[in-house]
Amino acid sequence: MKIAIWLYLFIFVAFFDLHAQYPILSPFALSIGAAPSFIGLILGVYSITHLPGNLLAGYGVDRYGSKRFIVFSLIVAGIVLIFQSKVTNPWDLLIIRSISGFVLAFLSPACLSLLAKIAKDRIQQGKLMSGNGLVHTMASVVSPAAGAYLVAKLGFSTSFTVLGWGLIVTGVLAFFGIDEKKLLRGSHELPPAEDAPLALTEVPGDRGGGIPWLFYGIPLALSCSQGILFFELPLVKESQNSILTSGILFSLVSLGALVTLSMLFLNRYSPFLRVVFGSLSLALVFFGMSVNWAIPLFASLFLIGMAKGIIYPAIASTLAGVTSSSRYGRVFSLLSISFSIGAFIGPIVAGHMRGHTSPYFLAFLALMFALTLLPLRPMTTASA
């Protein structure tokens, strides 16, 4: 399990850097003269430039392995973040964020593919995916507050430089810490998953490994709703006069996710059903926030996090359970593409519509629409 520990380290550092920027990017963009609608574009372009990177990563990981993509993604992303510390106008920040989105697009498919391959059986595979969600969440618990604290103490430029060097050092560790050839010599194809009576039907010729395209509407809507939330939180009245308060609000979401990720008994239930019920719960919370329900913002964010803690590892487990190991890279790249498209749409829609309707209601609509399109038919295992 040494390789899993290394992978968790790389995932932790990458997501720590990413989430540390959430509460500080909007204020940083404002400080260099960006308008609110342009801030939405800056946040969204990071995700849309994931698309070409995800497409390349999908086939590249399946053909060449994961290590080179992990090392490339971490080191180059760190260099780009150092350049971001020197930005002085919104258009330069837009360009830097677009480059960063492209290079980091390789990391998630590469890490998830390698995690799925080192599992000895489907149960262990599910645990590894949950571990990925746990590490991701632990990083996102501390990083928003840490990012806000860094800015409060060091300023924007020095904070981005520190985060950039963190990525570079981790990339160097990845180069020496992953022995992929030795790992793959001991790997073997896992039998089909047996715990999803309501799930995905194989579609002949489907590039997603037998997975209906409509299933990817769930991660798309999920990331769209999160993009809306991440755009809106730094702008709510509780955060307007304090970057540190904004960081705490982001950390509350992650704390909620940490609670459900710690409930290991949830892994006994079908991952597909966890995706459905978790998404429905998340949609209802967003609806409540859109109508200003009696539950305070801090509690609502905690509930959002709890739903995320159920959904994210369940999506990865569902895809791994119906996909052959030779297609892990492509399937997880399609998952990342779905996340990227949704995260691009969310902030842009929120930036243009927040003066007319509640962005939280748009998040509710996106999730409910994806749920209505979800293919509820018997699962068969994807062909290799």
Side-chain angles (χ1 to χ4, degrees), residues 2-351:
K2 179 181 178 182
I3 187 64
I5 296 174
W6 276 110
L7 288 171
Y8 287 150
L9 172 64
F10 307 146
I11 293 169
F12 179 87
V13 173
F15 281 106
F16 181 95
D17 274 48
L18 177 62
H19 285 272
Q21 296 182 63
Y22 281 144
I24 64 178
L25 267 177
S26 293
F28 176 62
L30 283 172
S31 73
I32 59 176
S37 59
F38 197 80
I39 294 174
L41 181 60
I42 290 172
L43 295 177
V45 76
Y46 173 92
S47 299
I48 203 63
T49 53
H50 261 50
L51 296 179
N54 288 148
L55 290 171
L56 291 173
Y59 290 92
V61 168
D62 287 338
R63 184 170 181 178
Y64 300 109
S66 297
K67 178 177 178 176
R68 64 188 67 188
F69 293 102
I70 294 173
V71 173
F72 164 81
S73 186
L74 289 169
I75 292 179
V76 178
I79 294 172
V80 170
L81 197 53
I82 292 174
F83 277 104
Q84 183 175 307
S85 68
K86 309 299 182 182
V87 166
T88 57
N89 68 77
W91 282 103
D92 287 344
L93 180 59
L94 180 70
I95 294 171
I96 289 293
R97 291 293 293 170
S98 65
I99 297 172
S100 181
F102 174 78
V103 298
L104 278 174
F106 295 87
L107 185 63
S108 183
C111 287
L112 285 174
S113 176
L114 201 52
L115 275 176
K117 287 178 181 178
I118 65 177
K120 298 179 180 179
D121 51 51
R122 292 296 181 188
I123 295 176
Q124 187 184 42
Q125 192 176 70
K127 292 180 179 179
L128 288 173
M129 293 303 170
S130 295
N132 170 68
L134 184 61
V135 170
H136 180 176
T137 302
M138 289 175 64
S140 60
V141 165
V142 297
S143 58
Y149 180 80
L150 278 175
V151 170
K153 294 295 183 181
L154 304 176
F156 290 113
S157 180
T158 305
S159 298
F160 289 136
T161 301
V162 170
L163 294 174
W165 277 110
L167 285 174
I168 292 172
V169 171
T170 307
V172 173
L173 291 175
F175 180 80
F176 294 104
I178 298 178
D179 188 353
E180 189 172 12
K181 291 183 179 180
K182 180 180 179 180
L183 171 70
L184 295 181
R185 283 198 296 267
S187 64
H188 60 280
E189 185 71 34
L190 297 182
E194 300 176 353
D195 62 345
L198 292 175
L200 313 176
T201 302
E202 180 179 356
V203 178
D206 190 333
R207 295 181 182 180
I211 299 165
W213 293 106
L214 290 177
F215 176 78
Y216 291 102
I218 290 291
L220 190 153
L222 178 62
S223 62
C224 180
S225 69
Q226 298 311 295
I228 290 172
L229 181 67
F230 293 156
F231 174 87
E232 189 68 15
L233 279 185
L235 304 178
V236 298
K237 62 181 181 180
E238 290 88 348
S239 301
Q240 286 178 352
N241 298 319
S242 173
I243 295 177
L244 185 59
T245 300
S246 177
I248 293 173
L249 292 178
F250 281 101
S251 293
L252 278 172
V253 177
S254 300
L255 283 172
L258 191 60
V259 170
T260 45
L261 284 167
S262 300
M263 298 178 181
L264 300 180
F265 67 89
L266 292 176
N267 291 321
R268 301 174 185 174
Y269 299 97
S270 164
F272 183 76
L273 293 179
R274 282 184 274 144
V275 170
V276 173
F277 288 110
S279 300
L280 179 60
S281 300
L282 182 61
L284 293 177
V285 174
F286 276 119
F287 179 79
M289 295 175 67
S290 71
V291 296
N292 295 316
W293 62 352
I295 298 177
L297 176 63
F298 293 93
S300 297
L301 294 177
F302 192 82
L303 291 174
I304 288 174
M306 291 185 69
K308 286 178 60 180
I310 294 173
I311 301 168
Y312 275 104
I315 289 176
S317 295
T318 300
L319 292 176
V322 294
T323 308
S324 64
S325 60
S326 63
R327 301 181 67 93
Y328 283 152
R330 276 163 281 186
V331 167
F332 288 126
S333 73
L334 287 173
L335 176 63
S336 294
I337 287 171
S338 302
F339 284 139
S340 299
I341 294 175
F344 172 74
I345 294 173
I348 292 179
V349 171

